[in-house]
Amino acid sequence: MSVLGLADRGLTRLVSWVAQGLLWSAVAAGFYQVLARFVLESPSAWSEAWTRASIIWAVMLGVALAFRQGAMLGVDLLHNLLAPRRARVLEHVVLLIVVGFLGFLVWIGADMTWRVRFQTTPSLGVSISWIYLSIPVGATLALFAALAYWAEGPRRLHIETV
């Protein structure tokens, strides 16, 4: 296996573990919020903000994982109606649209992250830019994931339709 393939698998695994950890922390914080509010009758100030931030990060990282598996690149109906060569052209067109959109998302997300760098979340006491940073990071990872998926070539056979 090539070094690039190992790096790709390692990065995908790391992103998956981080996203899973963030989801578990969101579940734990949400459970703690319910417990603190209704059992202890002393709601916590930080758990709701942490739950929201960790879910945002997990979703943005999950988008990258979905692109790496090709789950968000399918235009199956049109793909199956076209001849194999034209179906591959459709895949290239879809990739160009996806790359353009993700590049735009990286740019806008980085700009927004920079603009809010002086605002803090009252309950967590950290800059809100750490939450906004999920947009350019997730979009960049998704961009590389989409390119890696495309570089591998078609995974599924063309399905002939009648």
Side-chain angles (χ1 to χ4, degrees):
M1 182 179 279
S2 70
V3 174
L4 196 56
L6 284 173
D8 176 48
R9 283 185 47 196
L11 181 62
T12 301
R13 218 177 250 144
L14 175 66
V15 169
S16 176
W17 279 103
V18 171
Q20 290 174 47
L22 287 167
L23 280 177
W24 278 109
S25 74
V27 168
F31 179 74
Y32 175 74
Q33 174 69 12
V34 170
L35 183 72
R37 180 178 301 267
F38 297 111
V39 175
L40 303 175
E41 296 180 359
S42 176
S44 69
W46 62 270
S47 60
E48 184 179 342
W50 175 259
T51 301
R52 185 180 323 113
S54 60
I55 288 175
I56 290 169
W57 267 97
V59 165
M60 290 307 296
L61 295 177
V63 166
L65 294 172
F67 271 110
R68 186 60 189 100
Q69 295 302 313
M72 300 184 81
L73 297 177
V75 185
D76 291 334
L77 178 65
L78 186 57
H79 187 270
N80 291 336
L81 291 174
L82 297 174
R85 185 173 292 173
R86 290 190 179 184
R88 187 65 177 156
V89 170
L90 175 66
E91 292 172 11
H92 296 314
V93 170
V94 169
L95 177 77
L96 287 174
I97 293 167
V98 165
V99 166
F101 174 74
L102 290 173
F104 178 72
L105 200 57
V106 169
W107 176 50
I108 293 298
D111 185 48
M112 285 303 298
T113 301
W114 180 254
R115 287 180 187 208
V116 300
R117 68 189 182 277
F118 299 117
Q119 296 178 13
T120 59
T121 58
S123 55
L124 294 176
V126 297
S127 173
I128 201 166
S129 65
W130 286 106
I131 299 169
Y132 276 88
L133 187 63
S134 66
I135 298 169
V137 168
T140 300
L141 289 170
L143 182 65
F144 287 130
L147 290 172
Y149 179 81
W150 173 79
E152 288 177 349
R155 287 190 181 179
R156 60 184 171 200
L157 297 174
H158 181 75
I159 301 169
E160 291 294 330
T161 55
V162 183

